[in-house]
Amino acid sequence: MKATITDVAKVAGVSMKTVSRVLNNEPNVATKTREKVLAVATELRYSPNLAAKGLASSRSYLVALVYDNPSPYYIAKIQSGAIDACRKFGYHLVPEPLDLTDEADEASQEEAVRHLLHRLPVDGVILTPPLSDSPGVVKALETMKIPFVLVAPSGRENGISSVKMDDIQAAQEMTEFLIAQGHKSIGFIKGHIEHSATALRYEGYRKAMANADLPVGRNEVKQGDFSFRSGVTAAEELLRNRSACPTAIFASNDDMAAGVVSVASRLGIAVPDDLSVCGFDDTPLAKILFPQLTTVQQPIYEMGYQAVKVLVDPALKNKPASTHNLDFKLVVRDSALIQGS
Amino acid sequence: MKATITDVAKVAGVSMKTVSRVLNNEPNVATKTREKVLAVATELRYSPNLAAKGLASSRSYLVALVYDNPSPYYIAKIQSGAIDACRKFGYHLVPEPLDLTDEADEASQEEAVRHLLHRLPVDGVILTPPLSDSPGVVKALETMKIPFVLVAPSGRENGISSVKMDDIQAAQEMTEFLIAQGHKSIGFIKGHIEHSATALRYEGYRKAMANADLPVGRNEVKQGDFSFRSGVTAAEELLRNRSACPTAIFASNDDMAAGVVSVASRLGIAVPDDLSVCGFDDTPLAKILFPQLTTVQQPIYEMGYQAVKVLVDPALKNKPASTHNLDFKLVVRDSALIQGS
């Protein structure tokens, strides 16, 4: 037997209007009453029909995750956190990939977003990198008056809510870790030039090197693009001159670090004995490589979860824009651990 | 300026009713007229509001992807194909993870599905493995009269539409490839005992060995569970006795094959010179390992795409149940290529 709203009201000893208020996360219900109603609704496995809910409140109970990111791992993690938060608040997530490579200017990017969303009634939108830095995308959402939140945008504060982590601090701590292990010559591989994280991670590396009075040679920094292939190319350049090559390489993501490990293995350079290697992201790859990668664990799941909360949690939504800084973690594994230490 | 249905009708020179029919994929419109209307609608960037569309036709234009699969890569690929097909037909995808580990029996699994879906009005559901083999999940959808399609269910035909590939044939061809390279002692690592693919891939291996009159020793087959860790354990057992170990190992997925490569690397066994290694799935990992993995490329994206077509394409839906067999591909890379051959 499917429980109705009347059943919930009866068992909880409140009016149907109160049940409706609680289930729609509306204000002005005492905490105790709210908890009672939610407990009864869960107990009876009551859940309102989404279409009926939407019709009554003019909400769709849908949140769109709009992304254009080549890493399925990153998107899957964001999505997993976002779906869990959606469930908690009675919403559903609609993932919408958006490829802007053919849209030359801001106006056509704006048009592409409008085309994507004006047929889909959503209550909010989550933008992931690199879209969270796209002025055309942001402008379209503002014009359409759809609430949105940015995941990991570049540093500038701009009056839009965001969830992020401190990439500068994380890269700085990773570099300091290598310096503490005794490394003086530390190579660095930059990420894709269009991703905001690229400059931030590089800045963290520079800061740590400067703080330790270690010079950064021109040949110690290579441009990558976050792909495995670009890590291979950069490593081949960094390790070309065996007598003067760095004793550690910090690649600004795991895929590029995997490229470094692969080149080292081919050249017979032992990791970590002759070369320490660090990545960034803690993808599943980090644990599968031999040796396992020392890397930075980003709060990706948590960013997805928090992004939905900012959009739908009555305690957070319709509030002034806020920046939510979430914690990262250095994960030290064999690729940059001096053996016997 | 946002184009209206009147604009489309005027430019295409047809009635509004015809435009509506075409956009809702209804039958009885001449192909030429249909193409004209679609071309004009695309040209004018016309797209009907989803809620209005749903209201008029009692469709939600939502398809749910219900999954409980530990591989983010597999789900991301299925999802990518499903989203592309949804776009083509004017639908949107809602991914819904469903964890049944706490639901002990069929009745409680059925209840969990009902709870998940009775608040979300969807026009169809895609079930991925292992849910596509769960009687409780299937029963719930039948009772709720929601159209659904199974991705890669086990071999039995049961009157339900499915999209799949031939795992037996693929595993047989991979084993035959190893035999053609001169291997006579080929180790095999089985997958998770609850996944239907496990038995099918093992059967393909057995068939190829039997066809070539090669005996399969008790010590040549190890039980894994599709995880990297289980591949490591199985490889340690298979490679323990160096004087009598197999010259090739076929792991029934890439993660376990990565475990084999990692153990070989640790033991100083050269891949592929002293040991050929094959996987199954062609995950991104396959290209990142050193050496790169020889593996089977499943049509994962294509299965997601075809599953949506079966549910929403007017040419396929409301038809008797059908089985769609999609093509796999052997991908030969360095891990099982005899060098110099």
Side-chain angles (χ1 to χ4, degrees):
Chain A
M1 265 306 292
K2 188 176 157 182
T4 65
I5 191 168
T6 328
D7 299 332
V8 178
K10 199 184 290 176
V11 176
V14 299
S15 70
M16 274 175 56
K17 190 164 178 59
T18 302
V19 176
S20 163
R21 271 193 172 153
V22 171
L23 296 177
N24 284 318
N25 282 315
E26 282 166 22
N28 303 327
V29 181
T31 309
K32 214 175 140 187
T33 310
R34 184 180 296 276
E35 282 169 1
K36 180 79 185 274
V37 170
L38 289 175
V40 170
T42 307
E43 169 74 21
L44 299 180
R45 288 211 165 180
Y46 170 77
S47 36
N49 179 280
L50 194 71
K53 260 173 83 179
L55 230 46
S57 67
S58 89
R59 286 189 212 147
S60 68
Y61 291 91
L62 297 175
V63 169
L65 173 68
V66 181
Y67 61 93
D68 176 23
N69 191 302
S71 161
Y73 171 76
Y74 187 88
I75 295 304
K77 275 274 210 187
I78 288 274
Q79 180 173 311
S80 175
I83 288 175
D84 284 352
C86 277
R87 286 212 175 150
K88 185 172 150 69
F89 292 94
Y91 284 70
H92 294 268
L93 190 80
V94 183
E96 293 289 347
L98 176 67
D99 180 357
L100 293 182
T101 46
D102 289 341
E103 312 296 338
D105 54 19
E106 201 176 306
S108 64
Q109 292 181 2
E110 207 183 319
E111 182 54 30
V113 177
R114 195 166 290 136
H115 184 66
L116 177 71
L117 291 176
H118 86 259
R119 63 188 300 164
L120 180 69
V122 293
D123 294 334
V125 168
I126 300 168
L127 293 179
T128 60
L131 298 181
S132 33
D133 284 319
S134 161
V137 175
V138 166
K139 195 166 165 206
L141 293 171
E142 286 177 334
T143 320
M144 295 173 86
K145 300 199 193 306
I146 300 175
F148 64 103
V149 58
L150 309 177
V151 172
S154 62
R156 291 158 290 133
E157 298 294 332
N158 48 12
I160 301 171
S161 286
S162 63
V163 295
K164 60 196 324 190
M165 61 160 275
D166 190 338
D167 277 82
I168 299 178
Q169 183 67 25
Q172 184 174 343
E173 287 186 20
M174 181 60 89
T175 311
E176 284 166 356
F177 163 78
L178 290 169
I179 294 169
Q181 301 273 344
H183 295 285
K184 294 190 189 324
S185 169
I186 301 172
F188 186 84
I189 307 177
K190 292 168 152 181
H192 195 290
I193 44 169
E194 284 180 12
H195 282 244
S196 58
T198 296
L200 303 176
R201 293 175 191 177
Y202 181 53
E203 189 180 334
Y205 160 78
R206 296 290 304 225
K207 273 175 106 169
M209 294 296 276
N211 288 348
D213 286 327
L214 292 174
V216 174
R218 268 189 65 213
N219 293 328
E220 274 179 329
V221 178
K222 298 292 169 194
Q223 183 70 53
D225 63 9
F226 285 138
S227 70
F228 174 77
R229 179 59 40 205
S230 74
V232 167
T233 308
E236 282 167 348
E237 292 170 12
L238 286 167
L239 301 173
R240 183 173 295 152
N241 184 348
R242 288 292 288 277
S243 60
C245 73
T247 59
I249 295 179
F250 179 12
S252 51
N253 82 345
D254 288 351
D255 284 7
M256 297 195 299
V260 176
V261 169
S262 162
V263 169
S265 164
R266 183 152 34 88
L267 297 177
I269 299 175
V271 176
D273 297 29
D274 300 332
L275 179 73
S276 288
V277 179
C278 300
F280 202 110
D281 286 345
D282 198 26
T283 55
L285 181 63
K287 270 195 278 199
I288 282 176
L289 286 179
F290 180 77
Q292 299 188 355
L293 272 187
T294 290
T295 185
V296 175
Q297 190 177 88
Q298 290 197 66
I300 309 181
Y301 171 92
E302 291 78 6
M303 289 195 290
Y305 194 97
Q306 187 66 25
V308 168
K309 276 196 74 164
V310 170
L311 291 170
V312 311
D313 184 344
L316 291 173
K317 71 176 186 177
N318 305 323
K319 291 273 158 41
S322 50
T323 300
H324 301 257
N325 260 307
L326 305 180
D327 292 340
F328 61 84
K329 205 166 88 184
L330 290 204
V331 183
V332 178
R333 299 200 187 94
D334 291 347
S335 75
L337 187 67
I338 293 180
Q339 290 190 330
S341 73
Chain B
M1 264 306 291
K2 188 177 156 180
T4 64
I5 191 167
T6 329
D7 299 333
V8 178
K10 199 185 288 175
V11 176
V14 299
S15 69
M16 274 173 56
K17 189 162 179 61
T18 302
V19 175
S20 164
R21 272 194 170 152
V22 171
L23 297 178
N24 284 317
N25 282 315
E26 281 166 22
N28 302 325
V29 181
T31 309
K32 213 174 142 185
T33 310
R34 185 180 296 276
E35 281 170 3
K36 180 79 185 274
V37 170
L38 288 176
V40 170
T42 307
E43 170 73 23
L44 299 181
R45 289 211 164 181
Y46 170 75
S47 38
N49 179 281
L50 192 71
K53 260 173 85 180
L55 230 44
S57 66
S58 89
R59 285 189 212 148
S60 68
Y61 292 92
L62 297 175
V63 169
L65 174 68
V66 180
Y67 61 94
D68 175 23
N69 191 302
S71 162
Y73 170 75
Y74 187 90
I75 295 304
K77 275 275 208 187
I78 288 272
Q79 181 172 310
S80 174
I83 288 176
D84 284 353
C86 277
R87 286 213 174 151
K88 186 171 150 67
F89 292 94
Y91 284 70
H92 294 268
L93 190 80
V94 183
E96 294 288 347
L98 176 66
D99 180 357
L100 293 182
T101 44
D102 289 342
E103 313 297 338
D105 54 18
E106 202 175 307
S108 65
Q109 292 181 2
E110 207 184 319
E111 182 54 31
V113 177
R114 196 167 288 138
H115 184 65
L116 177 73
L117 290 176
H118 86 258
R119 62 188 301 165
L120 180 69
V122 293
D123 294 334
V125 168
I126 300 167
L127 293 179
T128 59
L131 297 182
S132 33
D133 284 319
S134 161
V137 176
V138 165
K139 195 167 166 206
L141 294 170
E142 287 177 332
T143 320
M144 296 173 84
K145 300 196 193 307
I146 300 175
F148 63 102
V149 58
L150 309 178
V151 172
S154 62
R156 292 159 290 135
E157 298 295 331
N158 47 13
I160 302 171
S161 286
S162 63
V163 295
K164 60 197 321 191
M165 60 160 275
D166 190 337
D167 277 81
I168 299 178
Q169 182 68 24
Q172 182 174 343
E173 287 186 20
M174 180 60 88
T175 311
E176 285 167 355
F177 163 78
L178 289 170
I179 294 169
Q181 302 272 342
H183 295 285
K184 294 189 190 324
S185 168
I186 301 173
F188 185 83
I189 307 177
K190 292 167 153 183
H192 195 290
I193 44 168
E194 284 181 10
H195 282 244
S196 58
T198 296
L200 303 175
R201 292 175 192 175
Y202 181 53
E203 187 180 336
Y205 160 78
R206 296 289 305 224
K207 272 175 105 170
M209 295 295 277
N211 289 348
D213 285 327
L214 292 173
V216 174
R218 268 188 65 213
N219 292 328
E220 275 180 329
V221 178
K222 298 292 169 194
Q223 182 71 53
D225 63 8
F226 285 140
S227 71
F228 175 76
R229 178 59 40 204
S230 74
V232 166
T233 307
E236 281 165 348
E237 292 170 11
L238 286 167
L239 301 172
R240 184 175 293 153
N241 184 349
R242 289 294 289 278
S243 61
C245 74
T247 59
I249 295 179
F250 178 12
S252 51
N253 83 345
D254 287 351
D255 284 7
M256 296 195 299
V260 176
V261 169
S262 161
V263 170
S265 164
R266 181 150 38 86
L267 297 177
I269 299 175
V271 176
D273 298 28
D274 300 331
L275 179 73
S276 289
V277 179
C278 300
F280 202 110
D281 286 345
D282 199 28
T283 56
L285 180 63
K287 269 194 280 199
I288 282 177
L289 286 179
F290 181 79
Q292 299 188 356
L293 273 187
T294 290
T295 185
V296 175
Q297 192 176 89
Q298 290 197 65
I300 310 182
Y301 171 93
E302 291 77 6
M303 289 194 289
Y305 194 96
Q306 186 67 25
V308 168
K309 276 197 75 167
V310 170
L311 290 170
V312 310
D313 185 344
L316 292 174
K317 70 175 185 176
N318 304 325
K319 293 271 158 45
S322 49
T323 301
H324 301 258
N325 260 308
L326 305 180
D327 291 340
F328 61 86
K329 206 166 89 184
L330 290 205
V331 184
V332 178
R333 299 201 187 94
D334 291 346
S335 74
L337 187 65
I338 293 179
Q339 289 189 332
S341 72

